[in-house]
């Protein structure tokens, strides 16, 4: 029985890797991996294949960057003949990036339709200005099997009218990847920290790439101001996403960032490296979705530079606090953490390193295997 997995952007890779392994262990499936090429820089893609032990893609669609319509359209056009030829019994997609949406659309409209399994289903920020929210809602509407990481996902789907038999709560597959990586990450940590002249628990780690944060000069400027203030108390390490990198020379705030002496800008980190940096940070300031989850799993304080999150369990149970983009809110939260009054959390249910086994079981059941 053939399964096609479609990945395209950085946050897909750590979700699909454990699923492929679990399906392999279960046996009885021929698995094909298609990379759309939405992310193509070695540091955004190749390094993750290596660190996560992902098989080489059977096919690379090479779509590259573009507007939302361009990326989505190119993936659709390139994937359609592939699915027509391979005729899989199931297409598996993960997360909420444009490649996820494009693949789900093509599979759902194939003749005959190919069922879609969505890993990380049901998450909602309820913020329709966020491109990922549009992707999430549409993909879940199209998916025959919605694999959720937490109970809020089930609730959201049921509220939207998704039949309970289409929903399987499997837990968080990202944590499967994280747990697998930790021993290697920890081994690499001393060399890595030395490279950046950092000490364990002695720095803030920053990531920023959401268009809402880095493409609007007024907001980007406020965030830079917050980071400058934080850096007076704690050295800051900031691996810079390509989108953000492009803003650095273009904007006044970006140029301030380039000149800041206690903010170290660096290339996007590989998977092992990033988890090592995260596990040893005092605090992470981020607008990423995945990092909110990884910091909760690691027990590291996370300040999310957004007004909402599609991962509320990281706030209600984990170490995450939503702090928005105002320095007057961000800086005191960092000070609280430095004073030892940061939030402590617990690890949510089913974030236990075995989510991918439950994915394989649910898929096996769905396909009658
Ligand atoms: C995408 C996802 C976002 C995810 C993020 C993680 C969508 C809608 N967004 O955003 O949810 O959090 O990935 O990284 O799919 N670029 C490069 N090299 C690359 C990839 C991108 O230089 O390998 C540059 C290009 O200039 C491109 C820009 O980054 O135009 C943005 O890339 P894109 O894939 O459109 O979105 P991300 O911001 O990466």
């Amino acid at each position: 029985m053939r399964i096609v997995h479609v990945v395209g952007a950085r946050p897909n890779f750590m979700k699909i890797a454990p699923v492929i392994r679990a399906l392999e262990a279960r046996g009885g499936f021929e698995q094909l991996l298609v990379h759309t090429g939405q992310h193509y820089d070695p540091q955004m893609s190749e390094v993750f294949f290596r660190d996560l032990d992902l098989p080489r893609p059977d096919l690379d669609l090479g779509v590259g960057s573009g507007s939302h319509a361009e990326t989505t359209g190119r993936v659709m056009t390139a994937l359609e003949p592939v699915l027509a030829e391979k005729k899989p019994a199931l297409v598996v997609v993960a997360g909420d990036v444009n490649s996820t949406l494009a693949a789900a659309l093509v599979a759902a409209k194939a003749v005959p339709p190919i069922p879609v399994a969505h890993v990380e289903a049901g998450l909602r920020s309820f913020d329709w200005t966020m491109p990922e929210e549009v992707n999430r809602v549409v993909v879940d509407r199209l998916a025959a099997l919605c694999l959720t990481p937490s109970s809020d996902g089930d609730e959201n789907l049921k509220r939207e009218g998704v039949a309970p038999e289409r929903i399987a709560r499997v837990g968080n597959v990202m944590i499967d990847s994280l747990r697998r990586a930790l021993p290697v990450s920890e081994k690499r940590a001393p060399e890595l920290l030395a490279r950046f002249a950092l000490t364990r628990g002695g720095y803030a780690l920053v990531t920023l790439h959401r268009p809402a944060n880095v493409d609007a000069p007024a907001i980007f400027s406020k965030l830079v101001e917050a980071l400058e203030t934080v850096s007076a108390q704690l050295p800051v390490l900031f691996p810079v996403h390509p989108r953000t990198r492009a803003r650095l020379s273009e904007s006044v705030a970006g140029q301030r960032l380039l000149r800041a002496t206690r903010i170290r800008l660096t290339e996007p980190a590989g998977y092992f490296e990033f988890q090592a940096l995260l596990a040893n940070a005092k605090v992470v300031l981020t607008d990423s979705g995945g990092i909110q989850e990884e910091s909760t799993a690691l027990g590291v304080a996370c300040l999310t530079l957004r007004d909402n999150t599609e991962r509320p369990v990281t706030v209600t149970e984990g170490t995450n606090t939503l702090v928005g983009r105002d320095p007057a809110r961000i800086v005191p939260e960092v000070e609280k953490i430095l004073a030892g009054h940061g939030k402590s959390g617990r690890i949510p249910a089913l974030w236990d390193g075995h989510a991918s086994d439950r994915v394989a079981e649910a898929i096996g059941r769905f396909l009658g295997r």
Side-chain angles (χ1 to χ4, degrees), residues 316-327:
T316 54
E317 297 186 32
T319 55
N320 189 17
T321 308
L322 292 180
V323 293
R325 288 66 92 74
D326 184 354

Side-chain angles (χ1 to χ4, degrees), residues 9-11 37-42 44-45 64-68 71 96-99 131-132 135 209-211 241-244 246 288-289:
R10 186 169 63 178
Q38 179 180 341
H39 283 175
Y40 45 87
D41 282 357
M44 298 296 286
S45 178
S65 299
S67 69
H68 287 273
T71 313
D96 54 18
V97 303
N98 287 339
S99 296
E132 292 82 0
N135 296 348
H209 74 282
R210 297 265 162 228
H241 182 282
R243 173 191 286 281
T244 313
S288 150

Side-chain angles (χ1 to χ4, degrees), residues 248-266:
L248 292 184
S249 50
E250 281 170 11
S251 62
V252 178
Q255 284 167 19
R256 274 201 340 257
L257 207 49
L258 284 168
R259 284 195 305 268
T261 49
R262 301 239 313 162
I263 303 176
R264 172 80 178 261
L265 306 179
T266 174

Side-chain angles (χ1 to χ4, degrees), residues 162-242:
V162 175
E165 58 271 21
R166 279 176 47 211
I167 305 170
R169 193 185 320 158
V170 291
N172 194 330
V173 291
M174 294 249 304
I175 308 308
D176 296 18
S177 283
L178 174 62
R179 291 206 175 187
R180 189 169 189 271
L182 275 181
V184 181
S185 289
E186 265 311 294
K187 222 181 273 161
R188 293 201 191 165
E191 187 272 329
L192 194 59
L193 296 182
R195 192 194 311 161
F196 296 116
L198 299 170
T199 55
R200 280 183 197 271
Y203 61 95
L205 182 64
V206 172
T207 81
L208 270 178
H209 74 282
R210 297 265 162 228
N213 279 347
V214 303
D215 290 355
I219 291 179
F220 190 43
S221 173
K222 279 198 164 283
L223 288 168
V224 171
E225 186 191 322
L227 297 182
E228 285 171 332
T229 312
V230 168
S231 74
Q233 305 177 59
L234 199 63
V236 172
L237 183 68
F238 185 171
V240 184
H241 182 282

Side-chain angles (χ1 to χ4, degrees), residues 84-338:
E85 188 204 323
K86 301 293 180 192
K87 296 187 179 26
L90 184 73
V91 168
V92 178
V93 295
D96 54 18
V97 303
N98 287 339
S99 296
T100 311
L101 170 67
L105 279 168
V106 174
K109 291 180 148 197
V111 185
I114 302 164
V116 173
H118 184 205
V119 176
E120 199 188 84
L123 299 189
R124 298 290 182 265
S125 67
F126 304 102
D127 175 359
W128 283 93
T129 66
M130 208 181 167
E132 292 82 0
E133 183 72 357
V134 178
N135 296 348
R136 289 180 200 116
V137 171
V138 178
V139 173
D140 285 337
R141 189 66 187 81
L142 298 173
L145 186 55
C146 291
L147 300 155
T148 64
S150 44
S151 59
D152 52 289
D154 301 36
E155 298 309 316
N156 293 332
L157 292 170
K158 284 183 197 153
R159 206 178 322 107
E160 290 171 19
V162 175
E165 58 271 21
R166 279 176 47 211
I167 305 170
R169 193 185 320 158
V170 291
N172 194 330
V173 291
M174 294 249 304
I175 308 308
D176 296 18
S177 283
L178 174 62
R179 291 206 175 187
R180 189 169 189 271
L182 275 181
V184 181
S185 289
E186 265 311 294
K187 222 181 273 161
R188 293 201 191 165
E191 187 272 329
L192 194 59
L193 296 182
R195 192 194 311 161
F196 296 116
L198 299 170
T199 55
R200 280 183 197 271
Y203 61 95
L205 182 64
V206 172
T207 81
L208 270 178
H209 74 282
R210 297 265 162 228
N213 279 347
V214 303
D215 290 355
I219 291 179
F220 190 43
S221 173
K222 279 198 164 283
L223 288 168
V224 171
E225 186 191 322
L227 297 182
E228 285 171 332
T229 312
V230 168
S231 74
Q233 305 177 59
L234 199 63
V236 172
L237 183 68
F238 185 171
V240 184
H241 182 282
R243 173 191 286 281
T244 313
R245 173 70 66 185
R247 303 291 168 266
L248 292 184
S249 50
E250 281 170 11
S251 62
V252 178
Q255 284 167 19
R256 274 201 340 257
L257 207 49
L258 284 168
R259 284 195 305 268
T261 49
R262 301 239 313 162
I263 303 176
R264 172 80 178 261
L265 306 179
T266 174
E267 291 305 302
Y271 188 68
F272 288 137
E273 289 198 346
F274 192 81
Q275 300 313 326
L277 292 170
L278 182 56
N280 288 288
K282 183 75 181 170
V283 55
V284 59
L285 295 99
T286 187
D287 60 7
S288 150
I291 295 169
Q292 296 172 48
E293 297 182 338
E294 289 160 346
S295 53
T296 275
L298 291 166
V300 171
C302 176
L303 302 179
T304 294
L305 306 166
R306 290 171 45 189
D307 298 321
N308 53 56
T309 178
E310 60 288 335
R311 293 160 162 90
V313 73
T314 61
V315 175
T316 54
E317 297 186 32
T319 55
N320 189 17
T321 308
L322 292 180
V323 293
R325 288 66 92 74
D326 184 354
R329 174 88 208 279
I330 299 167
V331 174
E333 288 293 338
V334 173
E335 283 165 353
K336 225 159 86 183
I337 291 163
L338 285 174

